[in-house]
């Protein structure tokens, strides 16, 4: 039993600790090319948060990892079989309920570990921050914490070489042989501003990619995944520690 994982701990142990920071991993349930599980983002959120929390805990940070929320914003994938969409307005209500508990019980810091590109918690946290002025509300995207180019050859943002390598390291029994994977080729938008990334519109997933992947996964290896996992969990472990230890009344220098 790891004392910093809420789902594993118990009523006897939990009362020994005054937690400084609650960590909420947040995933999505969606197709990941032909070769990876629907729970890919959940598995990543779970295992990255747990490992990073262990690193922070060892250094003396009192963190507690809440169970992973399994559903994300999948509004662009309404025609992909069993991609489960949770609307942003629902996410706001879920967050409100969790923050209400933390605030009432005196755990005044929350960090969301986001594992899915379609989730965007910033505007929700801005709004809830007004309602809960004693709370420090924060979010991070683990997939942006380390420069991917230093670890992987092919770019991508969904079921790509990076995600496939990670899962080959973490849960190899849930990844089909790479000969089963599609090439993850995606079509680019015809509007230049959207292509350049400074303008935005929802991607209609089924029109952008045939295999649901974005990025060629076929150069993925477990070794690449392990190195990357170590790099991101060290980075997140430091973030967990820093947020747990910072004085909420003295955060700027
Ligand atoms: Zn994913």
């Amino acid at each position: 039993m790891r004392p910093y994982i809420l789902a594993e701990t118990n009523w006897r142990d939990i009362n020994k600790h005054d937690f400084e920071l609650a960590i909420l991993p947040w995933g999505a349930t969606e197709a990941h090319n032909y070769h990876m599980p629907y729970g890919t983002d959940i598995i990543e959120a779970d295992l990255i948060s747990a490992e990073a929390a262990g690193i922070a805990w060892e250094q003396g940070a009192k963190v507690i990892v809440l169970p992973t929320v399994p559903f994300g914003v999948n509004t662009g994938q309404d025609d992909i079989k069993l991609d489960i969409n949770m609307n942003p307005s629902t996410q706001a209500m879920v967050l409100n309920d969790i923050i209400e508990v933390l605030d009432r019980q005196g755990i005044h810091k929350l960090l969301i570990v986001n594992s899915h590109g379609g989730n965007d918690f910033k505007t929700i946290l801005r709004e809830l921050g007004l309602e809960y002025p004693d709370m420090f509300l924060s979010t991070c995207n683990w997939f942006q914490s380390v420069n991917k180019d230093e670890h992987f050859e092919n770019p991508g943002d969904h079921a790509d070489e990076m995600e496939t390598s990670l899962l080959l390291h973490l849960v190899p029994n849930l990844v089909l042989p790479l000969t089963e994977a599609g090439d993850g080729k995606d079509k680019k938008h015809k509007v230049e501003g959207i292509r350049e990334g400074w303008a935005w519109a929802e991607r209609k997933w089924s029109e952008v990619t045939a295999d649901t992947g974005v990025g060629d996964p076929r150069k993925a290896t477990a070794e690449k995944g392990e190195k990357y996992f170590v790099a991101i969990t060290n980075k997140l472990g430091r973030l967990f520690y820093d947020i747990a230890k910072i004085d909420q009344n003295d955060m700027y220098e």
Side-chain angles (χ1 to χ4, degrees):
M1 181 277 279
R2 292 168 292 183
Y4 49 88
I5 306 287
L6 183 58
E8 294 182 10
T9 190
N10 50 60
W11 179 235
R12 182 170 302 284
D13 198 74
I14 201 102
N15 288 306
K16 294 182 195 157
H17 304 292
D18 283 324
F19 295 106
E20 300 164 305
L21 167 65
I23 289 155
L24 181 63
W26 206 307
T29 299
E30 57 175 347
H32 272 76
N33 200 322
Y34 297 118
H35 63 294
M36 291 211 295
Y38 267 63
T40 292
D41 292 5
I42 304 168
I43 293 164
E44 292 162 348
D46 263 350
L47 299 183
I48 290 168
S49 298
E51 181 74 15
I55 292 169
W57 184 269
E58 286 294 304
Q59 290 165 0
K62 292 285 188 180
V63 298
I64 186 78
V65 181
L66 311 185
T68 300
V69 181
F71 303 127
V73 175
N74 279 82
T75 43
Q77 288 118 334
D78 57 322
D79 54 349
I80 309 277
K81 191 172 184 178
L82 283 174
D83 275 21
I84 306 295
N85 173 51
M86 181 186 272
N87 278 325
S89 54
T90 313
Q91 293 186 322
M93 289 195 285
V94 170
L95 273 169
N96 181 79
D97 288 359
I98 293 170
I99 291 167
E100 195 272 329
V101 172
L102 297 174
D103 187 50
R104 182 160 36 81
Q105 299 191 359
I107 300 170
H108 286 300
K109 291 173 181 166
L110 172 71
L111 172 66
I112 299 170
V113 175
N114 178 35
S115 192
H116 170 63
N119 292 337
D120 184 357
F121 298 106
K122 274 160 64 175
T123 54
I124 297 172
L125 294 184
R126 287 178 199 275
E127 190 170 334
L128 290 171
L130 279 179
E131 277 179 55
Y132 297 95
D134 294 338
M135 292 293 301
F136 176 85
L137 302 176
S138 56
T139 179
C140 69
N141 296 326
W142 64 257
F143 47 87
Q144 291 174 332
S145 64
V146 166
N147 184 5
K148 274 168 68 172
D149 300 343
E150 289 169 17
H151 292 262
F152 305 103
E153 291 166 65
N154 288 318
D157 64 26
H158 185 69
D160 56 354
E161 182 182 331
M162 178 274 274
E163 273 198 302
T164 304
S165 297
L166 256 188
L167 262 69
L168 282 173
H169 166 55
L170 297 171
V171 286
N173 55 318
L174 295 181
V175 184
L176 292 178
L178 286 174
T179 48
E180 305 278 320
D183 60 11
K185 203 168 161 32
D186 64 314
K187 291 186 184 158
K188 308 294 181 228
H189 208 284
K190 288 181 180 172
V191 174
E192 183 179 78
I194 293 177
R195 261 200 326 273
E196 288 174 357
W198 57 273
W200 178 88
E202 175 99 72
R203 278 180 288 184
K204 179 74 179 168
W205 214 258
S206 56
E207 292 174 17
V208 165
T209 153
D211 54 33
T212 79
V214 173
D216 191 340
R218 292 174 296 184
K219 287 193 171 157
T221 68
E223 292 70 33
K224 288 180 189 176
E226 182 175 11
K227 270 193 191 160
Y228 182 64
F229 182 72
V230 170
I232 51 182
T233 50
N234 275 313
K235 201 97 188 258
L236 266 74
R238 174 72 195 271
L239 177 70
F240 293 6
Y241 181 88
D242 286 348
I243 293 177
K245 292 301 176 191
I246 196 166
D247 176 354
Q248 262 170 276
N249 301 311
D250 184 20
M251 291 200 292
Y252 305 99
E253 57 191 8

